[in-house]
Amino acid sequence: KQEVTQIPAALSVPEGENLVLNCSFTDSAIYNLQWFRQDPGKGLTSLLLIQSSQREQTSGRLNASLDKSSGRSTLYIAASQPGDSATYLCAVKRNDMRFGAGTRLTVKP
Amino acid sequence: DGGITQSPKYLFRKEGQNVTLSCEQNLNHDAMYWYRQDPGQGLRLIYYSQIVNDFQKGDIAEGYSVSREKKESFPLTVTSAQKNPTAFYLCASSIVATSGSPFQETQYFGPGTRLLVL
């Protein structure tokens, strides 16, 4: 059974800092991996989708990488802003969709 | 605007009562999903449907029921058999990949319904 782990569970950084969020999974046989953002009490917003054949995807200040063989993905956020404060979730997909518990990010002004 | 709507935003259930959560989408997606989110845990799949009048159980289907009579709608009923229903419930939709798997494509989520027990 696929297990998805996100470390750290919470992270607090000053504004302007570059940061990395980690996601690991136990079964490398995946179709793709997706990163989401969730604001408190809200639904999920898709940030980036990486297909299993890809190594990375970029959108604005966000860059997600995928190393399928080692079961790892990272989400890099450049020049963090207070508006980036949210919980970030990763999910891996094959015959179902398995989510990590998320990393709660706080960016302090 | 295309999107997914969930109602109500908050729902209160009395012991022994069945309650129904609404999910509607106008994205013309074939697949729809229900997830449950508990504090400190990842989302867990309750049910999903790839086509009208058909649906499949997820990991935690016990105590829940669904119907898919229309492409746009996928209501979830939390029955009295669900002994710990307090959670945040999220509905999602997606297209179905040409391979037939609904999980290959990007899922789009609604704003959620928080269910509380009185």
Side-chain angles (χ1 to χ4, degrees), chain A residues 3 8 13 21-22 49 57 59 76 93 104:
Chain A
E3 301 281 344
V13 300
L21 307 180
N22 297 293
L49 174 73
Q57 280 285 336
S59 176
Y76 175 83
K93 292 185 276 182
R104 188 173 68 252

Side-chain angles (χ1 to χ4, degrees), chain A residues 9-104:
Chain A
L11 181 64
S12 181
V13 300
E15 182 177 3
E17 193 162 294
N18 301 326
L19 59 99
V20 174
L21 307 180
N22 297 293
C23 172
S24 61
F25 48 96
T26 54
D27 185 352
S28 62
I30 64 172
Y31 285 142
N32 57 53
L33 182 146
Q34 193 165 357
W35 282 94
F36 294 89
R37 168 184 173 137
Q38 185 176 31
D39 292 291
K42 305 290 185 183
L44 277 63
T45 300
S46 179
L47 297 174
L48 291 162
L49 174 73
I50 311 177
Q51 300 293 347
S52 62
S53 58
Q54 296 176 317
R55 296 284 294 183
E56 63 180 277
Q57 280 285 336
T58 298
S59 176
R61 294 183 292 110
L62 305 180
N63 176 276
S65 68
L66 175 64
D67 184 344
K68 201 173 67 164
S69 61
S70 67
R72 293 180 184 177
S73 176
T74 61
L75 179 66
Y76 175 83
I77 302 177
S80 59
Q81 303 170 359
D84 295 330
S85 297
T87 296
Y88 291 81
L89 297 136
C90 69
V92 295
K93 292 185 276 182
R94 184 167 177 86
N95 296 321
D96 58 11
M97 190 161 170
R98 297 282 171 179
F99 286 81
T103 294
R104 188 173 68 252

Side-chain angles (χ1 to χ4, degrees), chain B residues 33-54:
Chain B
Y33 316 78
W34 274 105
Y35 293 92
R36 170 178 171 143
Q37 187 177 32
D38 293 280
Q41 295 188 37
L43 278 69
R44 292 181 291 169
L45 183 64
I46 305 172
Y47 270 98
Y48 69 98
S49 168
Q50 295 188 69
I51 195 168
V52 172
N53 292 324
D54 187 50

